[in-house]
């Protein structure tokens, strides 16, 4: 297998699966797979998982990779993963309790107090604090499980836990640190004033490195377990949205990315490092001195809302059958409006308790009508986010990645909802590819953007239709929000 050249492995610890990719330095994908897993919900609004599920999956698949590519040079491993999810380890590196996922809402009642305290030191940190973020999860643990909190020696994110599992090194990167609500944006380190105010020892937080910096090499135990022929270097890694932006070459053109997976995310990059006054700013710092960052916003139940509808409500077995039944001449004029915030919203309405709704149902409504409504509703919600965090200049195109990019309808809908060309790569350009690229950058390889893509252009008639429908969606959403606020006030 020596003719393959040096190989780089990407690992992406997603919310419901772990993805793996093996790529050579010619950017050819040689192996790709996804291993699903399930999280636990021991109480209403809680989402957690034993992080050892992640390490077992990663070690198991790396064993298969090392066996399949035996004799080839594996030059490095890059890691990415879901952001905000919090892992708690003791001094021996053993989880003291299940990790609290970013979708968890157990700390809802702590958020106002935390935001108020953070505002005294950092408006940026105060603005992004939410249930499921690292700071809120730490605060919840200390208040509700003090005996467990006393055992904590390290707090980290999923990709950091995987790096630790592979190398024995404790580290994180700027993208995860900058969304923890404990980051010093000027000093590019943990914020001393914030940690002092919340009485959190700095020793619990990992050292921060650039994403493409090496965290270490495989430990001897890991090397032996997976059958690696050498101590493969492992990079510190990046949060999944930074990795997605890197995979798409978004930084080079400051072109936005829409990522539709479990959630639906708008990623707006800025090579100049321009901070936005709304949305979640994330420092990328792929290499030292890198001033680039992204501003992101998410529809928490974005892609999940489609699986909720198809699997949970319809009990159907085929997405494609339903999607193919949607008539193209009905795009932008469907009878069903869908408000997709099934599990709260953090930027447009800033209400973690927000819920979704359908409008326009009649006795003649079909499942195809509702399917179309769900897809369009996610598109409208993404447009509402984008309008708030966009750059001043119009981008040449917007890139769509994730499971949504495989849809027949979503690229077409989004091109017309946004009135911009939608770029869809032929091969996967998700965060896992960005993880492999981080390994290449660490090895000194000059990476380039894959030119194997298509552009879905907007059509003027559909643009006009969707402009009117988006206005109706916005009015519907605002009215629904006011109604729900009134209900809350009465209860």
């Amino acid at each position: 297998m020596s003719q393959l050249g040096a190989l780089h492995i990407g690992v992406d610890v997603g919310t419901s699966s772990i993805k793996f990719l093996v790529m050579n330095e010619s950017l050819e994908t040689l192996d790709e797979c996804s291993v699903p897993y399930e999280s636990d919900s021991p109480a209403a609004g809680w989402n957690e998982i034993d992080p050892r599920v992640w390490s077992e999956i990663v070690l198991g698949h790396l064993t298969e990779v090392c066996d399949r590519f035996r004799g080839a040079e594996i030059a490095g491993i890059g890691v990415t993963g879901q952001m905000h999810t919090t892992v708690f380890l003791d001094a021996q590196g053993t989880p003291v309790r299940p990790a609290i996922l970013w979708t968890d809402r157990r700390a809802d009642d702590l958020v106002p107090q935390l935001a108020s305290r953070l505002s005294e030191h950092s408006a940026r940190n105060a603005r992004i604090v939410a249930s499921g973020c690292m700071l809120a999860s730490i605060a919840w643990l200390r208040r509700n499980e003090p005996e467990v909190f006393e055992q904590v020696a390290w707090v980290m994110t999923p990709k950091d836990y995987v790096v630790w599992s592979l190398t024995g090194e404790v580290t994180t990167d700027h993208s995860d640190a900058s969304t923890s609500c404990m980051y010093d944006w000027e000093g590019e380190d943990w914020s001393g004033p914030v940690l002092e105010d919340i009485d959190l020892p700095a020793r619990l937080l990992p050292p921060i490195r650039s994403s493409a910096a090496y965290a270490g090499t495989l430990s001897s135990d890991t090397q032996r377990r997976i059958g690696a022929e050498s101590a493969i270097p492992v990079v510190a890694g990046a949060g999944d949205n930074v990795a997605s932006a890197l995979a798409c070459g978004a930084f080079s053109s400051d072109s936005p990315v829409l990522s539709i997976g479990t959630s639906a995310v708008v990623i707006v990059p800025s090579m100049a490092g321009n901070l936005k006054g709304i949305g979640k700013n994330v420092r990328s710092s792929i290499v030292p001195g890198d001033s680039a960052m992204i501003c992101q916003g998410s529809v928490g139940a974005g892609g999940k809302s489609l699986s909720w509808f198809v699997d949970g409500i319809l009990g159907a077995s085929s997405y494609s059958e339903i999607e193919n039944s949607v008539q193209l001449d009905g795009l932008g004029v469907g009878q069903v409006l869908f408000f997709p915030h099934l599990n709260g919203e953090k930027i447009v309405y800033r209400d973690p308790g927000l819920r979704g709704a359908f409008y326009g149902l009649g006795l003649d409504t079909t499942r195809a009508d509702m399917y179309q409504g769900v897809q369009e509703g996610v598109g409208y919600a993404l447009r509402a986010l984008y309008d708030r965090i966009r750059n001043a200049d119009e981008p040449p195109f917007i890139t769509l990645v994730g499971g949504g990019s495989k849809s027949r309808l979503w690229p077409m809908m989004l091109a017309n909802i946004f009135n911009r060309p939608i770029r869809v790569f032929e091969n996967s350009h998700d965060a896992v590819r960005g993880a492999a690229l981080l390994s290449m950058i660490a090895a000194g390889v000059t990476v380039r953007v894959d030119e194997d893509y298509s552009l879905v252009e907007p059509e003027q008639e559909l643009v006009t239709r969707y402009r009117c429908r988006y206005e109706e969606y916005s009015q519907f959403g605002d009215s629904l929000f006011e109604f729900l606020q009134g209900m809350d006030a009465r209860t």
Side-chain angles (χ1 to χ4, degrees):
M1 290 191 180
S2 58
Q3 70 274 17
L4 296 176
L7 308 183
H8 297 264
I9 302 172
V11 179
D12 175 15
V13 187
T15 306
S16 57
S17 68
I18 300 182
K19 296 179 181 178
F20 300 88
L21 180 144
V22 179
M23 189 163 60
N24 63 20
E25 293 179 359
S26 297
L27 303 187
E28 297 173 305
T29 297
L30 306 175
D31 185 52
E32 189 173 11
C33 83
S34 177
V35 181
Y37 68 84
E38 294 185 359
S39 57
D40 301 315
S41 183
W46 291 28
N47 293 111
E48 59 185 38
I49 188 172
D50 185 338
R52 286 169 288 203
V53 170
W54 299 324
S55 56
E56 287 302 310
I57 291 174
V58 170
L59 292 169
H61 189 72
L62 289 181
T63 301
E64 296 179 20
V65 170
C66 289
D67 183 60
R68 177 178 175 183
F69 293 97
R70 190 157 304 283
E73 177 193 356
I74 300 179
I77 299 173
V79 184
T80 185
Q82 55 186 286
M83 303 175 75
H84 316 303
T85 290
T86 308
V87 181
F88 304 95
L89 304 182
D90 65 17
Q92 287 71 49
T94 303
V96 299
R97 71 167 328 280
I100 300 177
L101 298 184
W102 65 273
T103 52
D104 191 280
R105 294 190 51 210
R106 72 186 71 189
D108 277 357
D109 62 329
L110 291 174
V111 170
Q113 177 188 359
L114 290 171
S116 177
R117 295 178 66 174
L118 286 173
S119 64
E120 299 177 13
H121 308 287
S122 171
R124 291 196 188 101
N125 285 322
R127 184 163 48 80
I128 64 172
V129 67
S131 189
C133 77
M134 181 175 282
L135 175 59
S137 296
I138 292 172
W140 181 92
L141 183 66
R142 180 159 55 185
R143 185 182 73 171
N144 293 278
E145 298 178 1
E147 70 289 350
V148 175
F149 183 78
E150 288 300 316
Q151 303 174 49
V152 176
W154 294 107
V155 180
M156 58 182 62
T157 62
K159 69 109 168 64
D160 301 332
Y161 176 73
V162 168
V163 169
W164 178 88
S165 299
L166 295 175
T167 67
E169 298 292 336
V170 175
T171 186
T172 193
D173 80 302
H174 288 273
S175 63
D176 273 336
S178 64
T179 56
S180 69
C181 301
M182 298 177 286
Y183 188 68
D184 177 356
W185 282 86
E186 287 69 37
E188 299 186 6
D189 203 345
W190 301 112
S191 171
V194 170
L195 298 183
E196 182 178 354
D197 183 64
I198 63 175
D199 192 26
L200 185 70
R203 60 177 171 76
L204 300 184
L205 301 172
I208 304 173
R209 303 184 185 183
S210 296
S211 297
Y214 285 127
T217 59
L218 296 181
S219 67
S220 56
D221 286 346
T222 301
Q223 186 178 339
R224 182 167 52 253
R225 175 169 175 178
I226 68 175
E229 296 177 315
S230 62
I232 303 169
V234 181
V235 301
D240 53 1
N241 294 329
V242 170
S244 292
L246 175 65
C248 297
F251 290 111
S252 61
S253 58
D254 279 358
S255 58
V257 178
L258 304 179
S259 176
I260 303 181
T262 301
S263 61
V265 184
V266 180
I267 305 167
V268 178
S270 170
M271 281 296 290
N274 296 323
L275 288 163
K276 303 289 176 63
I278 190 171
K280 184 169 292 183
N281 293 292
V282 183
R283 189 176 296 284
S284 61
S285 191
I286 292 170
V287 295
D290 174 9
S291 62
M293 62 178 59
I294 64 172
C295 186
Q296 67 184 47
S298 68
V299 182
K304 184 69 173 177
S305 62
L306 197 63
S307 62
W308 160 80
F309 177 68
V310 174
D311 300 335
I313 303 302
L314 297 181
S317 58
S318 173
Y319 285 67
S320 59
E321 178 184 347
I322 304 173
E323 184 164 295
N324 288 336
S325 67
V326 175
Q327 300 300 308
L328 298 184
D329 59 5
L331 295 184
V333 291
Q335 63 173 286
V336 176
L337 277 173
F338 176 62
F339 192 64
H341 301 297
L342 302 178
N343 61 345
E345 204 283 330
K346 297 179 180 179
I347 294 178
V348 178
Y349 297 102
R350 295 189 60 81
D351 182 357
L354 201 58
R355 289 295 179 266
F358 283 101
Y359 174 75
L361 304 181
L363 293 176
D364 59 342
T365 299
T366 66
R367 65 178 190 171
D369 294 329
M370 297 183 73
Y371 187 98
Q372 175 183 338
V374 170
Q375 285 194 309
E376 289 177 336
V378 172
Y380 299 142
L382 287 171
R383 166 70 188 275
L385 282 171
Y386 176 69
D387 284 348
R388 286 161 173 79
I389 66 175
R390 58 174 295 166
N391 292 329
D393 296 333
E394 286 283 4
F397 47 74
I398 297 174
T399 302
L400 176 63
V401 299
S405 67
K406 309 300 188 294
S407 164
R408 177 180 72 115
L409 296 177
W410 249 327
M412 191 184 313
M413 291 174 173
L414 294 168
N416 292 287
I417 290 172
F418 282 77
N419 194 18
R420 302 305 303 163
I422 296 293
R423 181 174 66 165
V424 179
F425 286 99
E426 297 300 321
N427 300 311
S428 171
H429 278 62
D430 298 346
V432 68
R433 183 182 179 92
L437 292 177
L438 287 174
S439 176
M440 291 189 193
I441 293 170
V445 178
T446 300
V447 299
R448 66 183 190 278
V449 180
D450 187 355
E451 296 184 0
D452 191 8
Y453 62 82
S454 59
L455 284 177
V456 180
E457 298 284 351
E459 302 174 27
Q460 191 53 52
E461 181 181 351
L462 285 177
V463 169
T464 301
R465 287 186 196 175
Y466 274 116
R467 183 183 300 119
C468 295
R469 200 59 168 157
Y470 175 60
E471 291 175 0
E472 294 170 353
Y473 164 85
S474 300
Q475 293 170 7
F476 169 56
D478 292 347
S479 298
L480 179 62
F481 178 67
E482 291 178 11
F483 170 73
L484 293 174
Q485 291 288 97
M487 284 187 62
D488 290 341
R490 291 191 295 270
T491 57

